[in-house]
Every structure is written in structure tokens, then in C-alpha cells.
Amino acid sequence: MALVAAFLSSILILSVSSPGNALSSNYYEETCPAAEWIIAATVKAATEKDKTVPAALLRMHFHDCFIRGCDASVLLNSNGNNKAEKDGPPNVSLHAFYVIDNAKKAVEALCPGVVSCADILALAARDAVVLSGGPTWDVPKGRKDGRTSKASETVQLPAPTFNISQLQQSFSQRGLSMEDLAALSGGHTLGFAHCSSFQSRINTNSVDPTINPSFAKSLRNVCPVHSKAKNAGATMDPSSTTFDNTYYGLILKGNGLFSSDQALLSHPKTKNLVNKFASSQKAFEEAFVKSMIKMSSINEGQEVRKDCRVVN
């Protein structure tokens, strides 16, 4: 497994420095000019019915990019003897795949075989942020879809229990800096986490010293040690459907939900950025956009899928 991880890391680093698929902002200008509008409309319609959709799409995009680059491998279904990424332990709570399916069907009806699932997911993640009150940006396009998806590779996703060294290593293997780490972590301003993601931090016999005691107590009320409630958990921050800088203020108070959130205060570089982003929504948004473009440009796919759930 270690050899596999090391090999994949080298691929990811290579794809950052010399991407196999050149991306451009006007990639579909002639072949499918209505693509972005169709995708945005699909995400908006889904969000109007389910307020958890934006957080789900943003998380889905992160989890896609951190395995084999942003190649929509997270969208592929398991088949035969192959268990796909979406069925790996860190991804079983991903949802809203139907939104990407709906966008793909709508785009295919107008421009068959042109727009990749990877581009649809990248654009949908941007639209999710915008619909949540966050910034917009011009998404570079031209990604190709991958043909490989393995649940075993999801162990490479940054875990909510990671310390700063583990986070730094995970991001640097993908060509991402400490600045990117601090900015992209701000995506945790949206969404919900199950108790299993932070339970170990709040056990009465081993409370994480980095967590605010009163916050830990409130979480224990939501997540009792022996509870079997599958859907129990907590929102990432009180304004969990609004894209804002609240997340950073919570970290400064010791109210970060994950160990990996609080870990940002354990390194001078990321600590300074947490303070900067907590005091300036504008600074956070500008850094987030820059890092999102950088992360989402990692791509080494091979085809444009007709169906996002299966290879051609």
C-alpha cells in the first residue's frame, strides 16, 4: 500500500507541474457555450429542494481531486471485483451524485460527448460556493475523465484526525502549499459531520486538549459515547449553509470540529493565516479562489464519459 501511495503521489505531483490536459477558461466557447449555464441551473434547482447540496458538491470535488486528480473517478460505480472510490470508507457519506447525473444528462442532450464529468463537477463545486453566498471565479476547463477508481486509494484522503505534519505532507504531495491548506480548509464552513469524525476528541477519559471544554461538552450531548444513531453529528459551523469566514473564528476559540481544523493553529504559517482569514472575509475569499483553481487544475484523465457512473 505504501508503494502504491508513493507512486500515486509522484503522479499527482507530476500532473501539477506538467498537466497532461491543458485547461482554459473558454474551452467550450465554441463546442458547448451553454454548458456552464446548464450546470449552474441544475445545481440551483437541486439546492432549492435540499440545502445540503452545496456542501455535498464541494466535498465531492475535494475528494475527487485528492485521489487521482480531478478526473471524476469519485463518480464511478463499483463493478465486478472492483470496489470504486465512492464506496471507500471516507466516501460512504458522500451524497448528491444525482445532481451531477442531472447536469450531465442536460448537457449531453445539447452537446453530446463534449463536456467531461470532471469539468461538470468542478463547475458544480464553484456554483455551490456561489449559491451559498461565497465568491465566484472563472473555472479553467478541459479536464478529461479517468477510467480507474479504487476504494483502496481513499486512504490517501486527509483525515479529520490529521495533525499539521500529516496535513502538510498530504497537501504538498499534490503540489499544494501551506497557504492552500489554510484556505481550502475554509471549505469546512459548509456542511455537517457525523460523530465518528470527532468522537475521539470528546471522550471524557481522553479529551483533546486543543478543544474548548464547553464545546466538547456540547458535542458529547449530541454524540453520546455508546450511541448507535447513524445520522447523529454536528454542523461544521453555526452558519453551515453560508460560505463565510466563521470557521476561522471558531478555530481561534478552540471550537474547531475536527482535530485537523484545530491543527492549523499548531504551525506559525497556518496560524497567521487563520488569524488573517478570521479578520477578513475578503482575504479568505481571495485565497480560497486562488487555491481552488490550483487544486482543481490537477488532471490526468483520458476520455469524456457518456455516463458519469461508468467508463465508455
Side-chain angles (χ1 to χ4, degrees):
M1 183 63 69
L3 288 174
V4 172
F7 175 68
L8 181 57
S9 295
S10 67
I11 293 176
L12 289 168
I13 292 170
L14 177 63
S15 68
V16 172
S17 58
S18 56
N21 301 308
L23 307 182
S24 68
S25 59
N26 60 351
Y27 190 82
Y28 298 114
E29 189 172 45
E30 295 184 5
T31 56
C32 196
E36 290 200 45
W37 181 88
I38 292 171
I39 295 163
T42 304
V43 174
K44 183 178 180 181
T47 300
E48 287 174 349
K49 295 179 180 179
D50 181 357
K51 298 302 182 185
T52 71
V53 162
L57 293 176
L58 183 58
R59 182 169 179 245
M60 191 186 299
H61 183 48
F62 277 129
H63 283 220
D64 180 42
C65 295
F66 263 73
I67 302 299
R68 289 178 167 266
C70 312
D71 66 347
S73 54
V74 74
L75 304 178
L76 287 170
N77 286 342
S78 297
N79 65 83
N81 296 322
N82 182 63
K83 190 175 181 181
E85 287 174 32
K86 64 167 59 172
D87 294 320
N91 285 341
V92 292
S93 60
L94 291 179
H95 70 285
F97 290 102
Y98 73 91
V99 180
I100 304 302
D101 291 335
N102 290 346
K104 177 63 171 174
K105 289 175 184 175
V107 171
E108 282 292 302
L110 189 65
C111 318
V114 173
V115 183
S116 68
C117 299
D119 274 347
I120 291 174
L121 182 52
L123 287 162
R126 186 272 311 275
D127 297 335
V129 170
V130 174
L131 285 169
S132 302
T136 188
W137 63 93
D138 197 355
V139 176
K141 296 165 285 291
R143 296 166 189 77
K144 294 296 187 290
D145 299 324
R147 296 178 55 82
T148 302
S149 183
K150 297 181 180 296
S152 59
E153 294 179 352
T154 60
V155 297
Q156 298 170 68
L157 288 168
T161 56
F162 270 14
N163 60 35
I164 195 65
S165 296
Q166 292 169 311
L167 289 169
Q168 183 175 12
Q169 180 181 29
S170 178
F171 275 66
S172 65
Q173 285 174 343
R174 289 149 181 87
L176 299 172
S177 66
M178 294 292 272
E179 288 87 349
D180 298 319
L181 166 59
L184 293 174
S185 292
H188 284 172
T189 185
L190 299 178
F192 173 92
H194 291 96
C195 296
S196 58
S197 298
F198 54 85
Q199 189 86 59
S200 62
R201 303 187 70 209
I202 60 174
N203 292 335
T204 52
N205 60 342
S206 59
V207 178
D208 183 340
T210 67
I211 194 170
N212 183 320
S214 62
F215 183 50
K217 183 178 180 180
S218 69
L219 291 176
R220 279 195 294 273
N221 292 331
V222 176
C223 301
V225 176
H226 300 296
S227 173
K228 295 183 179 181
K230 292 183 179 180
N231 294 321
T235 55
M236 296 304 297
D237 76 29
S239 56
S240 62
T241 59
T242 301
F243 192 91
D244 55 27
N245 63 343
T246 302
Y247 164 83
Y248 296 102
L250 293 173
I251 292 175
L252 294 175
K253 297 176 182 177
N255 291 354
L257 196 56
F258 297 157
S259 298
S260 59
D261 295 323
Q262 285 302 140
L264 295 178
L265 293 185
S266 64
H267 189 285
K269 182 73 173 179
T270 47
K271 183 177 181 179
N272 287 339
L273 288 166
V274 168
N275 277 290
K276 179 180 179 180
F277 298 155
S279 62
S280 173
Q281 173 84 11
K282 182 181 179 181
F284 163 49
E285 290 185 352
E286 289 177 349
F288 183 82
V289 166
K290 182 179 178 181
S291 295
M292 279 292 287
I293 292 173
K294 185 176 177 182
M295 178 193 74
S296 70
S297 296
I298 306 170
N299 178 252
E300 288 288 326
Q302 300 84 38
E303 65 182 20
V304 174
R305 283 184 223 137
K306 297 175 183 177
D307 181 332
C308 292
R309 293 176 181 258
V310 296
V311 297
N312 292 342

